[in-house]
Amino acid sequence: MKRLLFAMILSLTSIASHADKLSLERIHADPSLSGPGVGHLKMSPDGSRVTFLRGRSDDRYQLDLWEFNIKDKSTHRLLDSKAMLPEEKISDAEKARRERTRTAGFTGISDYSWSPDGKQLLVTLAGNLYLVEVAHTDKARQIVTGDVIDPKISPKGHFVSFVRDQNLFTIDLASNKETQLTTDGKGTVHNAEAEFVAQEEMDQTSGYWWAPDDSMIAFKKFDEAPVPNAHRYEIYADHTEVIEQRYPAAGDPNVLVSFALVKPTGGEIRNVDLGKETDIYLVRADWSADAKEVVYQRQTRDQKRLDLVAVDAATLAQRNLLTETASTWVSLAPRPHYLEKTKQFIWESERSGRNHLYLYDNQGKLLHAISSGEWGIDHILAVDEKAGKVYVASNRDAVTDKQVYALALDGSTADKPVRITKVDGWHEAQFSNKGEVFIDTFSDPATPPQVSVNHADGSLITWLEHNELNSTHPYAKYKDAHVPKEFGTLTSADGQTLHYSMLKPLHFDPSKRYPVFLSVYGGPHAQVVTRAWGDFFGQYMAQRGYVVFSLDNRGSSRRERKFTDVIYKNLGKNEVEDQLVGIDWLGKQPYVDAKRIGVFGWSYGGFMTLRLLEAASDKIALGVSVAPVTDWALYDTHYTEQFMTRPQDNADGYLDSSVLTHLDGIKSPLLLIHGMADDNVLFTNTTRFIDAMQDKGILFNMMTYPGGKHGISKKSHNLHVFRSISNFFDQHFGVTDVEKK
């Protein structure tokens, strides 16, 4: 479960008496109010240009491929998706994959990659593959048709690989010969793919891995026959489809997984022994720098143990490099980062209670810690072996920020990293292969996303997209009505620090008392209180006269394990307790009308909205819950069991964590919203809730969306969702425009 991301907005402090205010229609219209957006940034192998996907001026969701030439600082469109394919048809399998990656609302070019020599690009468009000569982009060559997923150019550039019809294929680029490497993919058997929970919960977007010398491919194979076949009714405006989806709910059997090696030219498939225990997760795989070993990560079903295992590619002999254990759960680590010049690798671990880096030799011997102390890293960005530096992302200086830091590979600066990005706020960085330069996407509550190319020391090379908020910016006419975002901290019952953000109403008058729009997520793997570009809808509500408030409760991400582990075996208890700390604090503020505090949340936030109403309808005047989990026994194995264990092992925890257990507490008005084709939080969660509420005679309002998936991404539906939310608040709180009471 991943937090749904809304459109992003700018916070400015100036206020004009006749400033234009945001409307829901404008928020959802083109061009984007955030300015010219760039995404899927990649640097060419020679570092001479940066490529990116950008929405069209007349349709921000139709993506074309652009490039920025660093030498002459020119920007132009490389590939026009409309010219390449005027009418785009996307298969059901591709639609489902895009739901997993939260890109369901986009069309056009969905993915691309550089060839190692930088002369070609591999482009994916509506499931078809195109090979493009960079020097002749008008002559894009379609090399594969059909329902193709996960295409890759091999590390040395000799092959293109892809998955089609549940089997793995390669194309030899010298001869254009297509080879089918596996043949048994059909029915419940899938080759070189990531299974549902791996895509949804493990950030596993691929099911196969190339050796760095092009000699071999390691791939996952799974059989989902043991997984219960959920018959879902996807209700559309004009028809209903019965979908058979292998959905492993908590406690159910998972897929049977295996692991194998094959040459890219075909031939014998050699199976790797994953051990006697078959009820496991194969969560990661990779190769050593010399291509002699393939390394995989095996996690136990209870997620308390993770083994990093090396396999000799020639003999298939195995050895365990290291083991991570925890009394609650072991968080999944990225792949080990193998060094090219030494037989060593870098490993991320939370064993100290914070996420830090450790250097191992290739035999699994710990050499030293690269980072340490009362802070943690987010992830590795790059390694410059020549300079002896590791670049990481972290919130070391502020929990609400993300910055780039440099650490010495020899561990000499383990608790003294050098900060590379100097401006406070949020930096998303992408480094070149060797770590010499990086692309930085920066924003803060007063700055729209700005993209620059920088030297490794942080000095500016050039702007890729300065995105200045000048008179021509799409947001220019609304900036004077924009409300600044404030940040603060509160304290949980066990003494830990809780961060919050707040927007006060437009034309704020401290002598008045305002209603509250409390936006909650509250779940693991997410952080909502950040000094980054804010969301348009929150700003819209502040401009209508609401105090807009969010708080990151215990269990949310980018914090130490002491902060996250309190939710173990009971979801909703501590999270609700922390959100009530925020609500109680709000109720004591002289500018807040404590009788008009409402809560809104989506996905885990929808679950939290219902649990908050159950626990404190005396303090919460209304709630809007979108796509909520109502019973954790209905949600998938890996996510749910990570925090709750299996239902058969934690019956009391599941009972207490279920929304259905506490329905009598719901006394305040409720608007329930759900897409009628949701394949993530199944619509069954809502039908169970409806039935239970009706049995108890509890009245509530409801809005459903035919064909709507988890994100309800259809443009007209998405606009309708937010209009329904704001209207529900307005009607109950008596808000007509800017709050006047």
Side-chain angles (χ1 to χ4, degrees), residues 225-250:
V227 180
N229 200 347
H231 291 78
R232 294 190 296 105
Y233 293 90
E234 292 198 349
I235 302 172
Y236 294 82
D238 55 356
H239 69 284
T240 298
E241 296 179 5
V242 180
I243 305 297
E244 294 187 3
Q245 179 184 358
R246 298 282 179 171
Y247 188 99

Side-chain angles (χ1 to χ4, degrees), residues 241-261:
E241 296 179 5
V242 180
I243 305 297
E244 294 187 3
Q245 179 184 358
R246 298 282 179 171
Y247 188 99
D252 284 343
N254 277 314
V255 301
L256 290 173
V257 64
S258 57
F259 192 47
L261 304 180

Side-chain angles (χ1 to χ4, degrees), residues 73-114:
K73 296 181 173 55
S74 64
T75 301
H76 68 276
R77 182 163 55 189
L78 275 178
L79 295 173
D80 183 328
S81 60
K82 281 287 190 182
M84 293 174 67
L85 192 66
E87 296 296 328
E88 183 175 330
K89 294 182 180 180
I90 302 174
S91 69
D92 289 340
E94 176 64 10
K95 290 177 182 177
R97 188 194 69 80
R98 293 187 183 189
E99 281 293 326
R100 304 280 77 75
T101 57
R102 303 301 186 261
T103 58
F106 293 93
T107 56
I109 296 172
S110 59
D111 196 13
Y112 72 95
S113 56
W114 281 95

Side-chain angles (χ1 to χ4, degrees), residues 419-436:
R419 180 166 154 179
I420 302 300
T421 45
K422 304 304 181 184
V423 182
D424 292 345
W426 198 266
H427 296 262
E428 291 289 352
Q430 182 173 332
F431 276 72
S432 61
N433 291 339
K434 301 297 183 180
E436 304 99 331

Side-chain angles (χ1 to χ4, degrees), residues 10 67 74 172 193 249 307 382 468 490 573 681 725-726:
L10 172 68
E67 80 154 15
S74 64
D172 187 318
E193 295 181 49
D307 296 311
E468 293 180 284
L490 300 172
K573 179 180 181 295
V681 178
I725 295 166
S726 62

Side-chain angles (χ1 to χ4, degrees), residues 218-287:
F219 68 95
K220 172 188 279 193
K221 176 179 177 179
F222 67 86
D223 185 350
E224 55 185 355
V227 180
N229 200 347
H231 291 78
R232 294 190 296 105
Y233 293 90
E234 292 198 349
I235 302 172
Y236 294 82
D238 55 356
H239 69 284
T240 298
E241 296 179 5
V242 180
I243 305 297
E244 294 187 3
Q245 179 184 358
R246 298 282 179 171
Y247 188 99
D252 284 343
N254 277 314
V255 301
L256 290 173
V257 64
S258 57
F259 192 47
L261 304 180
V262 65
K263 292 182 178 180
T265 53
E268 179 188 9
I269 294 175
R270 297 181 299 142
N271 291 308
V272 175
D273 184 3
L274 295 180
K276 295 180 180 179
E277 179 58 62
T278 60
D279 194 7
I280 60 168
Y281 295 107
L282 179 62
V283 296
R284 300 278 187 272
D286 199 14
W287 289 82

